[in-house]
């Protein structure tokens, strides 16, 4: 779950240039997480797309070539985040697409497992907005 109280007053007014006008695809099956992420990232000037499982994520990537970064939940029904990332990486068109793995499981070895499955980076839940934005800035190139 995202902790919105980590935002500073007035932060919603100053959209980050590294994030503004970028497209993020959130892949998460928890509507509370989707709502909080969508609200926070929209305030940063990002276009937000949503998928609720791995199958939808793959479909969204096929339909929306403009996706700049993916936020991938790991524990989802159907196709989990690990398998979804592996399938994304099999497509050469997505070889350089940043994928940030988000997991509530945060156990020893999880980071390496996520990176091995194709994640570019890894953040454990509960998410802190400043940490998430910082990681996203690292992987999103300035235009």
């Amino acid at each position: 779950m995202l902790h919105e109280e980590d935002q500073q007053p007035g932060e919603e007014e100053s959209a980050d240039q590294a994030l503004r006008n970028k497209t993020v695809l959130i892949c998460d099956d928890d509507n509370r997480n989707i709502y909080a992420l969508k609200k926070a990232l929209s305030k940063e000037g990002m276009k937000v797309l949503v998928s609720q499982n791995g199958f939808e994520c793959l479909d969204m990537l096929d339909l929306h070539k403009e996706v700049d970064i993916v936020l991938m939940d790991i524990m989802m029904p159907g196709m989990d985040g690990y398998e979804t990332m592996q399938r994304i990486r099999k497509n050469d068109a997505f070889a350089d697409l940043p994928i940030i793995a988000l997991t509530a499981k945060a156990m020893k070895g999880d980071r390496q497992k996520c990176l091995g499955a194709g994640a570019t980076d890894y953040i454990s839940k509960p998410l802190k907005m400043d940490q998430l934005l910082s990681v996203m800035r690292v992987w999103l190139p300035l235009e």
Side-chain angles (χ1 to χ4, degrees):
M1 202 70 191
L2 179 71
H3 291 277
E4 289 189 272
E5 63 271 10
D6 293 334
Q7 284 187 329
Q8 299 300 312
E11 240 181 64
E12 63 272 8
E13 302 298 323
S14 59
D16 191 314
Q17 290 303 314
L19 305 176
R20 183 187 297 277
N21 299 321
K22 298 287 195 225
T23 301
V24 58
L25 173 56
I26 299 169
C27 185
D28 198 317
D29 62 323
D30 187 325
N31 286 325
R32 296 165 300 175
N33 290 339
I34 291 169
Y35 175 80
L37 284 168
K38 189 172 183 176
K39 182 178 174 187
L41 296 173
S42 293
K43 285 181 182 177
E44 295 296 324
M46 297 191 81
K47 178 181 175 189
V48 181
L49 303 174
V50 174
S51 60
Q52 293 194 304
N53 61 55
F55 298 107
E56 284 182 15
C57 180
L58 296 174
D59 289 343
M60 291 292 281
L61 287 172
D62 284 339
L63 291 171
H64 297 276
K65 303 296 186 200
E66 75 275 16
V67 171
D68 296 298
I69 192 166
V70 176
L71 302 181
M72 180 71 64
D73 183 33
I74 296 301
M75 304 307 290
M76 295 181 293
M79 185 189 309
D80 67 16
Y82 297 118
E83 184 178 349
T84 306
M85 290 186 293
Q86 289 170 341
R87 289 191 184 194
I88 290 169
R89 293 301 185 216
K90 285 181 181 176
N91 184 333
D92 291 339
F94 302 126
D96 296 324
L97 178 67
I99 303 172
I100 310 302
L102 311 174
T103 184
K105 231 173 76 170
M107 295 171 60
K108 188 174 183 174
D110 280 352
R111 179 180 179 81
Q112 208 47 45
K113 187 174 179 183
C114 288
L115 297 175
T120 312
D121 214 329
Y122 165 97
I123 300 177
S124 61
K125 295 177 183 176
L127 298 176
K128 289 189 167 79
M129 196 60 204
D130 58 343
Q131 178 190 20
L132 177 62
L133 294 176
S134 178
V135 169
M136 291 175 74
R137 279 185 210 101
V138 167
W139 297 108
L140 283 169
L142 285 172
E143 290 181 358

